[in-house]
Amino acid sequence: MKILLSASVKGGVGKTTVAVGVAQALHRLGYRVGVLDLDYRAPCVPILLNLEKVSLNRTSDDALVPVLAEGLYVFSMAFIWPPDKCIMVEDNDASDDVRQLMRPGVLAWPELDFLVVDTPPTSSGIVTTALETAQAAGALIISHPSRVSRADTVRTLDLFAEKQVPVYALISNQGVDEEGRRRYDLEDVDIAQLATTYGVPFFLAIPHTRNLDRYFDQLANTLVHMEPVTLPKPKVPEVAGWSKMIEIAMQLTKLK
């Protein structure tokens, strides 16, 4: 089973849309596909797959049973918590729960070819635990063509380089409309340049349009025929911690 991560440290860029879209496209190719929604605070996979009123089942061995929807086997944090509840969970507790979910036998997945994991927008806690425990085949890094998103895309690429998790593709989401008119303050070409700079093997621009199937079909066809790339581990000076950084900042301001 190949584990694919849909990831960005920035929220609102379309990680869930890409996760579900590429999972459906892989299913159309004939593969057995699961989707794991790890977003604690805003799990949206059930919304896209009309699974908002799901009740969990267990096996005789007490494992949680993923739900079958549109040919995909799905498990989401939304199946555990009330749908209208804002869950306030400390990073350490969330990490422990994710670590447990990733253990064999906790989720009763059938035999799968691909498991697509929708990760939350952060660089700590849940995401780093998922990176360390999932043994992912590779990641899809999602971005918007805006200056803020571009900055967070660079940070996301740095995170995956630091954790040595391979990267399949960089995806610019909703940069243009159906007629090719630019929608944000950068162009897709600016995000595409990041793929070239960092050596990411595949770049895809997805427009803001009603039917996305052909773009995800293109992505899925590429994924099954390519190898991801592990980015060079970044060389950065060691940091003692936030308290030390604040102390240094205070000293620097006194020198002005």
Side-chain angles (χ1 to χ4, degrees), residues 12-228:
V13 293
K15 292 183 295 296
T16 302
T17 299
V18 171
V20 171
V22 75
Q24 291 172 327
L26 288 166
H27 174 65
R28 286 195 291 272
L29 288 175
Y31 293 101
R32 296 162 296 186
V33 186
V35 179
L36 176 58
D37 181 2
L38 288 183
D39 198 332
Y40 252 77
R41 296 173 178 86
C44 295
V45 167
I47 297 173
L48 295 186
L49 292 172
N50 298 311
L51 295 173
E52 296 169 88
K53 297 181 179 180
V54 162
S55 298
L56 279 178
N57 292 313
R58 291 181 177 271
T59 66
S60 57
D61 297 328
D62 214 28
L64 294 166
V65 179
V67 177
L68 181 61
E70 300 181 25
L72 305 175
Y73 293 90
V74 182
F75 185 85
S76 171
M77 295 298 185
F79 298 164
I80 301 174
W81 305 110
D84 56 351
K85 180 70 176 173
C86 180
I87 305 303
M88 292 169 283
V89 183
E90 297 296 331
D91 262 359
N92 287 341
D93 294 334
S95 298
D96 290 341
D97 289 344
V98 168
R99 193 173 288 109
Q100 182 179 355
L101 274 178
M102 304 301 284
R103 282 172 42 207
V106 175
L107 289 170
W109 296 109
E111 187 175 350
L112 297 174
D113 299 305
F114 290 94
L115 176 64
V116 182
V117 181
D118 184 24
T119 63
T122 178
S123 61
S124 63
I126 298 172
V127 170
T128 51
T129 299
L131 295 186
E132 291 163 0
T133 59
Q135 297 180 329
L140 309 174
I141 308 298
I142 320 302
S143 180
H144 273 172
S146 69
R147 286 175 292 172
V148 171
S149 184
R150 186 189 187 283
D152 278 345
T153 301
V154 170
R155 297 181 182 113
T156 306
L157 289 164
D158 180 76
L159 171 65
F160 279 78
E162 179 66 37
K163 294 297 182 181
Q164 290 290 275
V165 176
V167 175
Y168 276 102
L170 176 56
I171 298 169
S172 180
N173 185 34
Q174 297 189 356
V176 297
D177 63 16
E178 291 180 276
E179 278 139 24
R181 293 173 297 196
R182 191 173 70 180
R183 302 183 70 237
Y184 293 94
D185 59 345
L186 288 175
E187 296 182 5
D188 285 328
V189 66
D190 296 284
I191 307 300
Q193 184 59 47
L194 285 182
T196 301
T197 301
Y198 281 82
V200 176
F202 183 68
F203 173 78
L204 177 66
I206 300 176
H208 181 72
T209 183
R210 186 178 297 275
N211 188 356
L212 299 175
D213 286 357
R214 67 188 181 98
Y215 300 97
F216 291 126
D217 286 342
Q218 178 188 356
L219 177 58
N221 274 291
T222 301
L223 287 176
V224 299
H225 293 112
M226 71 180 292
E227 292 295 326

